[in-house]
């Protein structure tokens, strides 16, 4: 017979698992199972017999790696990946550079109206991505944009931001405008956690504000920079809202401009959920590989710097 003391000890040890059970259940139902189902669909396809009419004429069969082979040899998917690569080369460095610059500026002693400035920089992040893209889209249109009206009155050139190479700048501007505030808050919070004694010691050694920023602040917030870079890579590979929202405003944005848009078209436009599942899996794998590779490189560098 189990003693009361043993039952009490078992209840205490099992309490953490009981508290974790609801979260673990939701995680499994709404994260693990959908991912597993998408991977399962990526290895399937529909086999059509005859004209595809009648009972049993269309049935789901095992496809192996056929969907992955088709995705990797699809020119639309390939060119979409190249476009996202060019888009990311603009967005990530500019957004993180501005976030770091704003965080360093707000962390100085002479800054005025710091709470208002932090809120003003962060506020665009609180605006939904579709709304932000729609707002900027109309600002890019010469017929309704106040900027083009001012340029016209001043007899200045009016660039076409919705066509050609300028389209990358237009899309990148939306992402930078919306994401800089979040990354700035992450970096700024890390800066505020640095002990004041570190700054006092640096000032006693004769270090100026620029030297403190370059040699103390930036190295000490390196983990936050790694974190924001990690999030930025994921957001870049999954870009969807901006080009999809701007598509009705210009012919330069195709329905498959980004890989995620290609997944959407295949799944809901063509009804081919099997190819879409394979493409989505490839995007997830690319995100995992790039993120894991960057984290390993960052950890290796930190270990080398910490080694005597």
């Amino acid at each position: 017979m189990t003693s009361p003391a043993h039952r009490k000890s078992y209840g205490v040890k099992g309490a953490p698992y009981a508290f974790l059970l609801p979260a673990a259940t939701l995680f499994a139902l709404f994260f693990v199972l959908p991912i597993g189902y998408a991977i399962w669909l990526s290895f399937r396809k529909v086999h059509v017999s005859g004209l595809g009419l009648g009972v049993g004429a269309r049935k789901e069969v095992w496809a192996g790696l056929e969907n992955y082979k088709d995705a990797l040899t699809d020119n639309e998917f390939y060119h979409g990946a190249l476009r996202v690569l060019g888009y990311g080369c603009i967005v990530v460095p500019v957004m993180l550079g501005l976030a770091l610059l704003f965080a360093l500026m707000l962390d100085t002693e002479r800054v005025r109206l710091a709470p208002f400035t932090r809120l003003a920089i962060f506020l665009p992040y609180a605006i939904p991505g579709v709304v932000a893209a729609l707002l900027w889209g109309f600002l890019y249109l010469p017929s309704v944009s106040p900027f083009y009206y001012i340029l016209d009155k001043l007899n200045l050139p009016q660039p076409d931001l919705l066509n050609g190479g300028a389209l990358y700048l237009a899309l990148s501007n939306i992402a930078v405008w919306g994401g800089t505030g979040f990354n700035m808050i992450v970096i700024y919070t890390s800066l505020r956690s640095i002990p004041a004694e570190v700054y006092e010691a640096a000032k006693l050694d004769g270090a100026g504000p620029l030297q403190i920023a370059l040699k103390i602040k930036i190295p000490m917030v390196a983990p936050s920079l790694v974190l924001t870079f990690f999030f930025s890579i994921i957001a870049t590979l999954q870009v969807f809202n901006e080009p999809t929202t701007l598509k009705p405003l210009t012919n330069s944005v195709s329905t498959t401009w980004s890989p995620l848009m290609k997944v959407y078209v295949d799944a809901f436009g063509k009804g081919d959920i099997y190819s879409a599942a394979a493409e989505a899996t490839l995007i997830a794998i690319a995100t995992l590989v790039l993120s894991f590779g960057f984290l390993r490189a960052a950890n290796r560098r930190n270990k080398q710097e910490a080694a005597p």
Side-chain angles (χ1 to χ4, degrees), residues 289-307:
V289 170
L290 289 175
S291 303
F292 182 73
F294 175 75
L295 289 176
R296 284 203 63 179
N299 291 333
R300 188 182 301 113
R301 182 177 178 181
N302 292 335
K303 290 179 180 179
Q304 291 176 354
E305 292 178 352

Side-chain angles (χ1 to χ4, degrees), residues 46-53 56-59 61:
V46 172
H47 177 71
V48 181
S49 301
L51 297 177
L53 304 176
R58 302 172 63 91
K59 59 181 179 179
V61 298

Side-chain angles (χ1 to χ4, degrees), residues 75-120:
N75 285 331
E76 290 184 344
F77 190 75
Y78 172 73
H79 287 104
L82 291 180
R83 283 189 287 265
V84 167
L85 178 62
Y87 166 83
C89 290
I90 300 173
V91 170
V92 175
V94 173
M95 181 168 60
L96 296 186
L98 289 175
L100 177 61
L101 177 63
F102 290 150
L104 291 173
M105 293 174 63
L106 289 172
D107 195 51
T108 59
E109 298 177 353
R110 299 179 181 180
V111 65
R112 297 180 180 180
L113 301 175
F116 173 78
T117 306
R118 287 198 304 269
L119 179 62

Side-chain angles (χ1 to χ4, degrees), residues 43-285:
F43 293 104
R44 311 285 289 179
K45 69 176 183 179
V46 172
H47 177 71
V48 181
S49 301
L51 297 177
L53 304 176
V55 179
R58 302 172 63 91
K59 59 181 179 179
E60 186 180 286
V61 298
W62 182 258
L65 298 176
E66 183 178 339
N67 292 327
Y68 291 94
K69 180 182 177 181
D70 293 341
L72 292 174
T73 56
D74 190 328
N75 285 331
E76 290 184 344
F77 190 75
Y78 172 73
H79 287 104
L82 291 180
R83 283 189 287 265
V84 167
L85 178 62
Y87 166 83
C89 290
I90 300 173
V91 170
V92 175
V94 173
M95 181 168 60
L96 296 186
L98 289 175
L100 177 61
L101 177 63
F102 290 150
L104 291 173
M105 293 174 63
L106 289 172
D107 195 51
T108 59
E109 298 177 353
R110 299 179 181 180
V111 65
R112 297 180 180 180
L113 301 175
F116 173 78
T117 306
R118 287 198 304 269
L119 179 62
I121 298 174
F122 178 77
L123 190 59
Y125 178 75
I127 299 176
V130 175
V131 177
L134 191 61
L135 169 67
W136 280 103
F138 281 107
L139 292 177
Y140 294 150
L141 284 176
S143 58
V144 296
S145 174
F147 300 118
Y148 282 93
Y149 176 79
I150 296 173
L151 292 175
D152 181 59
K153 292 300 181 182
L154 296 176
N155 294 321
L156 295 175
Q158 301 179 24
D160 187 0
L161 297 175
L162 293 177
N163 289 292
L167 178 63
Y168 287 88
L169 298 178
L171 291 169
S172 301
N173 174 66
I174 300 173
V176 170
W177 181 78
T180 299
F182 171 79
N183 294 306
M184 181 272 296
I185 290 295
V186 174
I187 299 172
Y188 178 75
T189 303
S190 182
L191 284 172
R192 300 301 295 176
S193 65
I194 299 176
E197 292 81 4
V198 176
Y199 299 143
E200 294 175 0
K203 291 177 181 178
L204 290 176
D205 290 338
L210 182 60
Q211 292 176 316
I212 292 176
L214 295 177
K215 297 184 178 181
I216 296 178
K217 292 185 177 181
I218 294 179
M220 295 192 74
V221 299
S224 296
L225 293 175
V226 172
L227 179 65
T228 53
F229 189 86
F230 177 76
F231 288 152
S232 300
I233 289 178
I234 296 175
T236 299
L237 292 176
Q238 298 178 354
V239 60
F240 179 83
N241 289 335
E242 292 85 353
T244 302
T245 306
L246 292 185
K247 182 185 174 302
L249 306 179
T250 175
N251 293 325
S252 297
V253 179
S254 65
T255 56
T256 57
W257 192 89
S258 72
L260 207 57
M261 293 174 68
K262 177 71 165 54
V263 173
Y264 180 86
V265 169
D266 286 346
F268 302 103
K270 300 178 180 179
D272 187 1
I273 60 174
Y274 309 99
S275 296
E279 293 163 355
T281 303
L282 288 175
I283 296 174
I285 292 173

